[in-house]
Amino acid sequence: MSYLVISFSHKNIDIKMREKLAFNGEEDKDRYLRQILENEHTKEAVVLSTCNRVEIVTRSSNVKNSAKNIIEKLSAYSGLDFDTLYDRADIYDNDGAVHHLFSVASALDSLVIGETQIVGQLKDAFRFSQAKGHCSTNITRVMHYAFKCAANVRNATSLGTGSVSVASTAVAKAKEIIGNTKGVKALVIGAGEMSELTIKHLISSGFDVVLTSRDIKKAQNLASTFLEESAKAQEVKVDVKPYSELTNLLAQIPVMITATSAPYPIITKENAPSSLINRYWFDIAVPRDIDENISLSGLEVFTVDDLQDIVNENMSLRAEQAKMAYSIVSRMSMEFFEWLKSLEIEPVVKNLYLKGETIIDKKVKNAIKKGYIRAEEEENIRKLCQTVITEYLHNPSKQLKDISKNMECDLVVSTVQNMFALNKESNIPKKYKCDHLTKN
């Protein structure tokens, strides 16, 4: 069985394809996971779907067959051509899959290197799959190490500081265009996690925020959290407006950032107003919130792909830190496989001792039955035999544990199991606790 990751991101497909691949509802994601797990070669699966990527993380006994099936089902879901998807897909197997997953979790594969949202999104994807019964021991193990790796990168580097998200990049671009932001209004559409992050960056950049959402109560709750935090700073302003006023707000406010989870454009040619002022709209949602065919005088529309210039500058500033982070990812990828091998060794060593105990029990009972030893001597004889077995197996056990770090581990373990007729089934519990799951 190998780890397998199928990856679609800003690196290999454009935003039009990404928005068709995106899973915006839990029912769609659950249905897709169940479909790919019907394949006899695919065991356990997690789907990570964000504005910039779709990652399918699985275990497979036949990588080629699983990859083909996963992409076929993705083609059926998205309506995109299978051959196009297959040609564009980045397919990672085993050590490559683990290295890629660790890089994704550590935000080294993101559009904005070091962005802080990805590890939380990966944890949510894992929790969802775990809750639905789509993954168990082996995926849990690799996720455990992925989150551990992300934490190590975050603690050892400064990649998690500064402007490191699509939301913050959009705000940075808006500030660059506007210049002096004092008294300048910025409209935020949506009241989810991305909108919350956007508001935070807009406030820190000096904008006055206007918030609107179809869910007006959710918008009011979100605005109130910022007002409470900034009660002492009277100049900070977050106004909530009814969604019915959207067209007027779009006409009057120079900066707009939209980040809803709507499955279709919420701003179209029908409701996009003309205006006498210059306006700058940032669409950081996937699928896009703004119809790509809108063209109005004095209006510039930016999507996540249009923010690449700031991203490139961000990458050059973070190059040295990223180099350090990649070394952590590489080291922890190797550590992960060493750890997996050690898990394979422990049951073998345990079974060697259990085999010895079984033989002692059989021989002692037989000796008592035939009168070779007295029944009252049984306990002492057993202790003597156990001492012999422990001393005899000490060096072989130690060498087996050392072999777990070598490439020959699988061959040696299999040979030992065959020689001693040991049970090859792992004694590792089915449920494996992930220590890093609750830490964002």
Side-chain angles (χ1 to χ4, degrees):
M1 292 289 287
S2 297
Y3 285 104
L4 170 66
V5 175
I6 312 292
S7 174
F8 295 95
S9 71
H10 62 281
K11 291 184 174 182
N12 56 11
I13 59 173
D14 60 23
I15 192 170
K16 287 185 179 180
M17 294 181 71
R18 294 204 303 274
E19 60 189 6
K20 290 181 179 179
L21 289 177
F23 290 89
N24 295 300
E26 292 188 350
E27 288 185 11
D28 288 339
K29 187 188 291 188
D30 182 43
R31 188 182 304 112
Y32 176 75
L33 284 165
R34 282 189 280 106
Q35 287 176 349
I36 64 175
L37 289 172
E38 288 174 0
N39 183 283
E40 60 179 333
H41 298 293
T42 307
K43 310 296 180 184
E44 304 183 53
V46 170
V47 171
L48 169 66
S49 179
T50 75
C51 61
N52 280 318
R53 66 177 61 253
V54 171
E55 306 273 347
I56 300 97
V57 183
T58 70
R59 290 271 292 175
S60 173
S61 58
N62 185 321
V63 168
K64 186 175 182 180
N65 182 284
S66 288
K68 184 173 181 289
N69 178 67
I70 287 167
I71 296 173
E72 281 178 347
K73 297 294 188 291
L74 203 55
S75 172
Y77 166 75
S78 64
L80 294 170
D81 177 65
F82 167 80
D83 290 332
T84 301
L85 285 178
Y86 196 84
D87 289 342
R88 296 285 188 91
D90 287 329
I91 302 174
Y92 301 94
D93 175 23
N94 222 33
D95 55 344
V98 170
H99 190 278
H100 175 72
L101 177 62
F102 288 10
S103 298
V104 170
S106 303
L108 296 176
D109 197 65
S110 299
L111 177 67
V112 183
I113 299 294
E115 56 101 352
T116 54
Q117 285 72 51
I118 188 65
V119 69
Q121 292 166 333
L122 184 59
K123 287 178 180 179
D124 288 342
F126 173 49
R127 287 190 190 101
F128 176 82
S129 190
Q130 203 173 43
K132 295 293 184 178
H134 300 316
C135 66
S136 55
T137 306
N138 291 295
I139 290 291
T140 300
R141 287 173 179 167
V142 77
M143 287 295 179
H144 162 90
Y145 245 80
F147 301 141
K148 183 179 178 181
C149 181
N152 285 357
V153 167
R154 187 167 59 247
N155 293 333
T157 70
S158 59
L159 288 175
T161 60
S163 180
V164 290
S165 67
V166 174
S168 62
T169 302
V171 173
K173 185 67 177 177
K175 186 175 181 180
E176 177 188 317
I177 294 169
I178 298 297
N180 183 4
T181 60
K182 187 175 182 180
V184 177
K185 290 183 178 180
L187 174 65
V188 175
I189 305 176
E193 183 181 346
M194 192 66 78
S195 296
E196 180 179 359
L197 190 62
T198 300
I199 294 171
K200 187 180 297 183
H201 287 291
L202 285 169
I203 290 173
S204 65
S205 295
F207 286 95
D208 289 338
V209 178
V210 177
L211 175 63
T212 189
S213 170
R214 282 193 173 93
D215 190 336
I216 190 69
K217 187 174 181 180
K218 190 175 180 181
Q220 289 169 339
N221 290 337
L222 177 57
S224 66
T225 62
F226 286 99
L227 293 174
E228 289 169 7
E229 290 173 7
S230 56
K232 295 179 182 179
Q234 297 297 322
E235 70 277 7
V236 173
K237 196 173 183 182
V238 180
D239 284 340
V240 177
K241 297 292 184 181
Y243 193 77
S244 58
E245 296 181 17
L246 178 61
T247 300
N248 290 333
L249 294 171
L250 290 172
Q252 298 166 5
I253 298 176
V255 174
M256 184 277 288
I257 301 178
T258 181
T260 78
S261 57
Y264 49 80
I266 61 170
I267 302 173
T268 64
K269 288 191 289 185
E270 286 70 30
N271 68 351
S274 299
S275 178
L276 298 176
I277 64 172
N278 291 327
R279 292 172 297 168
Y280 309 94
W281 293 354
F282 295 84
D283 188 348
I284 59 175
V286 175
R288 284 172 288 184
D289 282 339
I290 303 174
D291 190 325
E292 62 180 310
N293 297 313
I294 291 176
S295 178
L296 296 170
S297 177
L299 172 66
E300 284 189 67
V301 179
F302 300 87
T303 66
V304 288
D305 288 357
D306 296 319
L307 303 173
Q308 194 65 49
D309 54 342
I310 293 180
V311 170
N312 290 338
E313 181 182 351
N314 176 286
M315 288 178 66
S316 65
L317 291 172
R318 297 170 181 273
E320 196 60 36
Q321 293 292 306
K323 185 178 178 181
M324 186 189 304
Y326 272 115
S327 70
I328 294 172
V329 168
S330 296
R331 173 173 53 79
M332 293 202 65
S333 297
M334 290 188 289
E335 283 182 6
F336 172 70
F337 282 104
E338 288 177 2
W339 177 65
L340 281 188
K341 288 177 181 178
S342 73
L343 293 181
E344 294 174 9
I345 292 292
E346 287 174 7
V348 174
V349 172
K350 182 179 179 181
N351 282 334
L352 280 173
Y353 282 94
L354 289 174
K355 189 86 171 179
E357 288 281 351
T358 302
I359 293 171
I360 290 171
D361 184 64
K362 180 180 177 182
K363 293 301 180 183
V364 169
K365 286 182 178 178
N366 191 46
I368 293 173
K369 183 178 180 181
K370 293 186 175 183
Y372 297 151
I373 61 174
R374 296 193 300 273
E376 56 267 26
E377 295 174 337
E378 179 179 355
E379 185 177 349
N380 288 333
I381 296 293
R382 280 184 182 277
K383 286 180 180 178
L384 176 62
C385 291
Q386 287 167 350
T387 301
V388 172
I389 288 291
T390 299
E391 186 168 341
Y392 178 70
L393 291 178
H394 175 72
N395 282 334
S397 299
K398 186 176 182 299
Q399 289 182 17
L400 275 173
K401 290 176 180 177
D402 291 340
I403 285 170
S404 70
K405 300 177 182 178
N406 299 332
M407 294 297 291
E408 303 86 11
C409 175
D410 292 342
L411 179 60
V412 173
V413 168
S414 180
T415 302
V416 171
Q417 288 173 326
N418 289 331
M419 285 177 60
F420 290 92
L422 301 178
N423 181 11
K424 295 186 180 182
E425 292 298 320
S426 172
N427 293 323
I428 303 298
K430 289 293 182 184
K431 291 186 178 180
Y432 185 82
K433 181 183 177 184
C434 181
D435 297 331
H436 294 262
L437 186 57
T438 57
K439 301 174 185 176
N440 286 327

